[in-house]
């Protein structure tokens, strides 16, 4: 060795910073930890504590995203094959709660009476609002009169002619599936794994590319994606009605290769394929929005915000555009809904047993893409795929994503909550973004009585297991105050040092975890040998 190295030689060595990142990733340490100051309020002692950033996307922080995914898998596994109800029936109202509810009932009667007599109800309305607050702070969930202050438009509720009727059962409060017995007396409680898809928008190949892009129905694909969450909601309502119990589910929304959303569902209990087919055919969601058939403003010709009247006007005529409410009121009984979303007839369903390999495999499948945005799941590799992405994005550009979408201006309607600066085609709604593919809802949809726990509860379970195994006190008797440390504070750790601390914290956690596992195994071995001696 001469000691002389070329630049190429030097660049071939990894930097220390890259190495720390790699080590951090290997150990699952957060790459962007948040620094908090923990102040003991009794002694005044201050510690710097780093907490993980908690990102759910691998593009932001791979270790945190992986942890979030594992937690979701644990949540999914815990609820899927439950044998007992996860949530006990709530107790009846206590005396205080009952008292407020009685006051509320009387106030309502007085108000309705006053209104019928043509008197001013302002004071009684105020009283009712106060009583509603008392009811909420007494610990009751929900509202006494949910329709209050939210007048609903009357829409025809007649079923669509082209949707079949569903058999309806009274829904019993049970949430767990039935058990079945085999001939030799064993019982089992099967659950199901379902996949529901969107309808066809035109034939596509293996690679998800339309055989004929010109006839592929991009508009329908875009609208279905925008309203997919509402459709799934309708599906679960129908599912419960047909099966007659509060079916619970853990569902994830993923894109297919053709970039249309589909939903994977872990469902508690079972359903026959015939019934499922029937529910899918009868499930639809109607979107009652103003028509977008005519483009009124395009290119240079755009509506103008008129501050004095607080709305947008047509520069050619000086007329204010109809407001969102006016446009909705103009929809008549003979009009068709703006869009009707349905599932495609293709679906997948199979039974899954608790503790089976298939159960683990399905949970892996359900959570597989959770660390990625929808648009990142299938990276376009060919020109044709890139073109397909492009065409879908084009279709989504001018579709209204919500009542507040800037795109309504294009069709001559002021969006709900209109404000200056709205530009059609430049709505900030997530649904229009490349990485969302038209679906802006939540990626994981979990019914309320799935495991009876929140994600934070599931996280707490793991912590509790560890502290119990290590014989640590579950709660710290000291009292602390927490403050976030900002970059301009003098105790703010530079990013290099934060990352090192993050790795060190993680190593400490791993050691604790290994120790806890070792003790758990020892305890198990001791139990087994004690049982052996007893026998
Ligand atoms: Zn992180
Ligand atoms: Zn929008």
């Amino acid at each position: 060795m001469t000691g002389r190295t070329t630049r190429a030689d030097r660049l071939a060595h990894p930097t220390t910073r890259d190495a720390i990142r790699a080590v951090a990733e290997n150990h699952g340490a957060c790459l962007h930890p948040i620094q908090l100051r923990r102040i003991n309020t009794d002694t005044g002692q201050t510690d710097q504590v780093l907490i993980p950033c908690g990102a759910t996307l691998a593009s932001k922080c791979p270790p945190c995203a992986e942890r979030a995914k594992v937690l979701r898998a644990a949540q999914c596994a815990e609820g899927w094959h439950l044998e007992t109800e996860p949530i006990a029936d709530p107790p009846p109202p206590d005396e205080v709660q009952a008292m407020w509810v009685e006051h509320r009932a009387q106030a309502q009667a007085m108000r309705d009476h006053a209104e019928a007599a043509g008197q001013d109800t302002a004071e009684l309305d105020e009283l009712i609002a106060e009583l509603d607050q008392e009811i909420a702070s007494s610990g009751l969930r929900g509202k006494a009169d949910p329709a209050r202050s939210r007048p609903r438009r009357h829409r025809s509720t007649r079923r669509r002619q082209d949707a079949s009727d569903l058999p309806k059962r009274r829904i019993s409060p049970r949430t767990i599936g039935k058990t079945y017995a085999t001939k030799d007396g064993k019982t089992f409680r099967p659950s199901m794994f379902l996949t529901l898809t969107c309808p066809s928008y035109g034939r596509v190949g293996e690679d998800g590319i339309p055989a004929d892009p010109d006839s592929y129905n991009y508009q329908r694909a875009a609208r279905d994606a925008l309203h997919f969450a509402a459709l799934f909601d309708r599906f679960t309502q129908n599912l419960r009605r047909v099966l007659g119990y509060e079916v619970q589910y853990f569902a994830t929304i993923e894109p297919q290769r053709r970039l249309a959303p589909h939903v994977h569902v872990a469902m508690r209990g079972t359903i026959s394929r015939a019934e499922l087919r029937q529910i899918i055919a009868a499930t639809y969601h109607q979107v009652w929005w103003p028509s977008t058939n005519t483009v009124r403003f395009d290119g240079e010709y755009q509506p103008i915000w008129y501050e004095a009247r607080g709305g947008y006007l047509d520069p050619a005529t000086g007329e204010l555009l109809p407001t969102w409410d006016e446009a909705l009121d103009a929809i008549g009984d003979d009009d068709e809904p703006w869009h009707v979303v349905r599932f495609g007839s293709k679906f997948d369903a199979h039974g899954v047993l608790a503790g089976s390999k298939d159960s683990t495999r399905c949970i892996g499948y359900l959570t597989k893409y959770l660390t990625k945005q929808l648009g990142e799941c299938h990276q376009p590799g060919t020109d044709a795929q890139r073109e397909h992405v492009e065409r879908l994005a084009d279709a989504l550009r001018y579709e209204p994503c919500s009542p507040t979408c800037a795109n309504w201006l294009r069709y001559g309607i002021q969006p709900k909550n209109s404000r200056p600066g709205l530009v059609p085609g430049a709505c900030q709604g997530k649904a229009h973004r490349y990485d969302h593919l038209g679906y802006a809802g939540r990626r994981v949809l979990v019914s309320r009585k799935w495991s009876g726990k929140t994600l934070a509860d599931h996280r707490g379970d793991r912590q509790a297991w560890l502290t119990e195994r290590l014989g640590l006190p579950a709660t710290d008797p000291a009292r602390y105050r927490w403050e976030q440390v900002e970059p301009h504070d003098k105790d703010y750790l530079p990013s290099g040092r934060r990352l090192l601390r993050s790795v060190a914290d993680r190593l400490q956690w791993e050691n604790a975890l290994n120790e806890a596992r070792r003790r758990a195994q020892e305890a198990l071995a001791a139990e087994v040998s004690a049982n052996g001696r007893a026998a």
Side-chain angles (χ1 to χ4, degrees):
M1 288 285 285
T2 61
R4 260 189 70 85
T5 54
T6 64
R7 169 178 239 182
D9 288 338
R10 287 192 298 276
L11 286 179
H13 286 276
T15 66
T16 310
R17 171 119 188 128
D18 287 344
I20 298 173
R21 269 184 76 101
V23 171
E25 278 197 42
N26 278 341
H27 287 284
C30 174
L31 300 188
H32 311 287
I34 296 161
Q35 188 183 348
L36 297 177
R37 211 178 281 128
R38 189 179 70 170
I39 303 148
N40 185 321
T41 51
D42 296 326
T43 66
Q45 191 193 328
T46 301
D47 298 301
Q48 302 297 335
V49 177
L50 293 175
I51 58 164
C53 72
T56 54
L57 292 175
S59 56
K60 297 207 172 114
C61 179
C64 281
E66 185 61 29
R67 238 189 326 275
K69 180 172 122 174
V70 169
L71 196 63
R72 283 297 192 183
Q75 183 187 31
C76 180
E78 194 162 323
W80 204 357
H81 312 290
L82 275 192
E83 301 197 339
T84 51
E85 291 295 343
I87 295 174
D89 284 337
D94 62 28
E95 261 174 55
V96 177
Q97 290 167 335
M99 176 195 77
W100 288 124
V101 169
E102 284 166 17
H103 282 315
R104 176 69 176 79
Q106 283 161 347
Q108 186 69 48
M110 275 151 67
R111 189 215 172 271
D112 293 347
H113 195 73
E115 192 182 43
Q119 293 159 357
D120 180 26
T121 62
E123 246 171 67
L124 286 166
D125 282 330
E126 216 169 284
L127 173 67
I128 285 175
E130 279 168 25
L131 287 170
D132 277 344
Q133 261 175 11
E134 291 293 351
I135 287 174
S137 50
S138 77
L140 292 175
R141 288 185 299 119
K143 297 227 165 71
D145 179 15
R148 205 175 97 82
S149 75
R150 181 161 54 89
R152 289 188 75 132
R153 255 176 204 83
H154 182 72
R155 283 278 163 252
S156 119
T157 50
R158 87 193 133 91
R159 281 195 69 81
R160 297 190 61 79
Q161 294 299 305
D162 48 355
S164 59
D165 273 332
L166 282 175
K168 278 182 201 161
R169 293 201 186 114
R170 233 171 68 89
I171 301 179
S172 79
R174 135 183 101 84
T175 78
I176 54 177
K178 281 193 196 133
T179 52
Y180 296 83
T182 56
K183 276 184 194 144
D184 51 353
K186 276 186 198 152
T187 59
F188 60 104
R189 191 190 303 274
S191 296
M192 281 199 105
F193 182 70
L194 316 174
T195 301
L196 310 179
T197 58
C198 285
S200 170
Y201 309 117
R203 206 162 56 77
V204 292
E206 279 282 285
D207 52 0
I209 304 305
D212 175 20
D214 290 327
S215 67
Y216 189 82
N217 196 339
Y218 282 98
Q219 185 188 61
R220 174 123 197 247
R223 291 183 180 184
D224 283 358
L226 285 166
H227 298 282
F228 194 70
L231 180 67
F232 180 67
D233 195 52
R234 285 300 154 97
F235 170 77
T236 58
Q237 287 171 17
N238 286 339
L239 190 67
R240 286 175 176 171
R241 226 169 268 155
V242 170
L243 294 185
Y245 70 99
E246 271 189 79
V247 181
Q248 300 295 306
Y249 56 86
F250 176 102
T252 55
I253 312 282
E254 311 290 2
Q256 292 176 293
R257 287 221 82 102
R258 60 174 176 152
L259 308 182
H262 64 168
V263 57
H264 297 307
V265 190
M267 157 189 161
R268 201 140 81 212
T270 53
I271 179 172
S272 72
R273 288 186 74 85
E275 275 180 313
L276 186 59
R277 190 173 294 117
Q278 212 184 347
I279 296 175
I280 288 172
T283 297
Y284 61 89
H285 170 63
Q286 305 187 99
V287 186
W288 289 97
W289 278 357
S291 165
T292 52
N293 288 343
T294 320
V295 174
R296 263 190 70 185
F297 299 94
D298 196 21
E300 296 286 292
Y301 179 43
Q302 291 293 342
I304 298 171
W305 174 258
Y306 184 46
E307 186 63 47
R309 294 175 68 186
Y312 283 89
L313 52 74
D314 183 338
T317 64
E319 258 176 274
L320 268 186
L321 302 181
T323 63
W324 176 251
D325 280 332
E326 287 164 354
L328 281 191
D329 287 339
I331 301 172
D333 272 352
D334 297 331
D335 284 325
E336 286 290 305
W338 177 79
H339 186 61
V340 182
V341 211
R342 307 165 177 286
F343 289 113
S345 54
K346 276 189 190 158
F347 67 92
D348 195 61
H350 70 269
V352 179
L353 285 176
S356 64
K357 262 197 190 139
D358 192 34
S359 171
T360 317
R361 193 184 59 84
C362 287
I363 292 170
Y365 202 55
L366 273 155
T367 52
K368 184 175 173 191
Y369 288 119
L370 286 186
T371 62
K372 291 181 175 168
Q373 294 277 36
L374 287 182
E376 298 173 319
C377 295
H378 305 295
Q379 291 288 350
T382 64
D383 281 347
Q385 281 171 335
R386 272 184 286 273
E387 228 164 85
H388 181 52
V389 173
E390 209 53 61
R391 280 171 182 256
L392 181 63
D394 273 344
L396 282 163
R397 186 155 304 135
Y398 290 117
E399 283 298 330
C401 68
S402 67
T404 56
C405 186
N407 286 346
W408 286 110
L409 289 175
R410 180 174 171 84
Y411 310 104
I413 294 154
Q414 301 203 51
K416 193 176 173 184
N417 308 332
S418 234
R419 58 198 158 82
L422 296 179
V423 180
C427 168
Q428 294 300 305
K430 276 191 212 161
H432 303 285
R433 288 190 218 150
Y434 262 88
D435 47 10
H436 280 80
L437 304 173
Y439 178 81
R442 281 175 300 142
R443 292 286 298 284
V444 184
L445 306 164
V446 190
S447 60
R448 213 162 49 81
K449 297 178 183 171
W450 176 252
S451 61
K453 290 177 188 171
T454 63
L455 270 186
D457 296 336
H458 284 286
R459 205 176 290 126
D461 282 354
R462 314 187 132 206
Q463 186 74 43
W465 179 83
L466 188 73
T467 47
E468 189 191 324
R469 279 289 148 214
L470 295 176
L472 299 174
T475 48
D476 189 337
R479 276 172 304 165
Y480 298 107
R481 189 156 50 86
W482 297 82
E483 289 171 356
Q484 181 153 0
V485 185
E486 306 289 345
H488 53 78
D489 294 340
K490 63 179 188 303
D491 53 354
Y492 185 72
L493 296 170
S495 73
R497 216 170 313 156
R498 278 209 308 281
L499 190 55
L500 284 170
R501 274 281 302 267
S502 175
V503 173
D505 287 354
R506 189 69 194 170
L507 290 174
Q508 202 181 359
W509 162 264
E510 275 176 9
N511 286 338
L513 199 63
N514 288 336
E515 176 63 18
R517 285 199 184 116
R518 196 183 60 75
R519 290 194 195 180
Q521 265 166 9
E522 265 178 20
L524 189 68
E527 200 178 308
V528 168
S529 85
N531 283 344
R533 271 198 304 278

